[in-house]
Amino acid sequence: MTKPVQRPWATNPGAGSWIAPGVRESAVEFHRSMPGYAATPLIEVPALADLLGAGSVWVKDESNRFGLPAFKVLGASWAVNRSLGPARTFAELASLVEGRRLTLVTATDGNHGRALAYLARALGLRSRVYVPAGLPEDPVQAIRDEGASVVDTGLPYDDAVQAAAASVRDGDVLIQDTAWPGYEEVPRWIVAGYSTLFAEIDVQHPAAIGLVVVPTGVGSLLQSAIEHYKAPDRRTSVLAVEPVTAACVTNSLAAGRPVTVDTSAPTIMAGLNCGTVSSTAWPTIHRGLDAAIAVTDDETRAAQALLHTHNIPAGPCGAAALAALQVDSSLEPPPSVVLINTESNAS
């Protein structure tokens, strides 16, 4: 007999009336100046709408962003620009840092570190990336291939983040996508960088959207989504999805306060294997997130296989968005749903 899943699940009834304070800055024009910029596709999948009982289902496919297999470069590039510039364009930023002996430093469970290494190489800088225990060799090698020095900490993700922060010396610039007391400015810039993704959706899908489903790690992309879709002129619901083994946002939402969870159990959703919600993201999540749910690896594998049949090369983290709507019949999809596929299978 199959053991029932102990699924973390939380709702926030007050989120529907919460209004975000507004986006403080836009990174869109800077991103458009970067070599190879193109808006990633928003793909309608009628078969998923039939399956889920929704009026329409769309997938924002971040499987190829600047030639990288995930959305992370949006936040990393804007944070690097604000940290080292700011500049109006990527070419102007490259001119500003030319000849400077700087090293970009971060910890990562995959895609953020690769994005930062890519940016360092493009700007003629060095990079040093700390990785947690259990990260598969393929994403680690992909980070090395971008020219980064990789430090295998052998530690859980949260501890790898602190190891990266403790390593910073003169000439190092920490670009971390999670915040803690005393380190909050850079994560805010990363959140602002992610807003380009949602600005693109506004152009691609100008009609009202009922629900956006966001795969969630420390909560930075989620914060960006909430701030965008809880603006005064929008009433879109936001659902977060996490692994059952790393449901820090779901458990925090249920408790009404930040809760750290043990992430020592492995998951195929490596990019979501985070134990502590970012301190800058939490206030927005606490007020504006409508609901959060956790999914298993098997559920995500099934969703991933289904997306692949529709020619969407989702990785496990991206497929979690679809899994969230498949696993709980109490979730009633509204007329229009957007799933954020955060990564490709190649990641």
Side-chain angles (χ1 to χ4, degrees), residues 30-31 34-35 66 68 72-81 84 90 93-94 97 104 112-127 146 175:
F30 178 79
H31 287 141
M34 292 176 63
F66 292 109
L68 298 173
K72 291 282 190 175
V73 68
L74 292 175
S77 60
W78 186 244
V80 168
N81 179 44
L84 304 181
F90 192 77
L93 176 63
V97 302
L104 304 182
H112 173 71
R114 182 175 178 183
L116 195 70
Y118 163 87
L119 292 163
R121 180 169 57 82
L123 293 168
L125 305 176
R126 294 169 294 185
S127 57
E146 298 289 351
I175 306 292

Side-chain angles (χ1 to χ4, degrees), residues 71-72 109 157 214-218 221 241-243 245-248 263 267-275 295 300 316-321 342-343:
F71 72 100
K72 291 282 190 175
D109 41 23
Y157 174 77
V214 184
T216 300
V218 299
L221 179 64
V241 56
E242 304 171 285
T245 54
C248 64
T263 60
T267 173
I268 62 170
M269 293 168 274
L272 308 182
N273 192 29
C274 305
V295 295
T300 295
C317 296
T342 51
E343 64 175 12

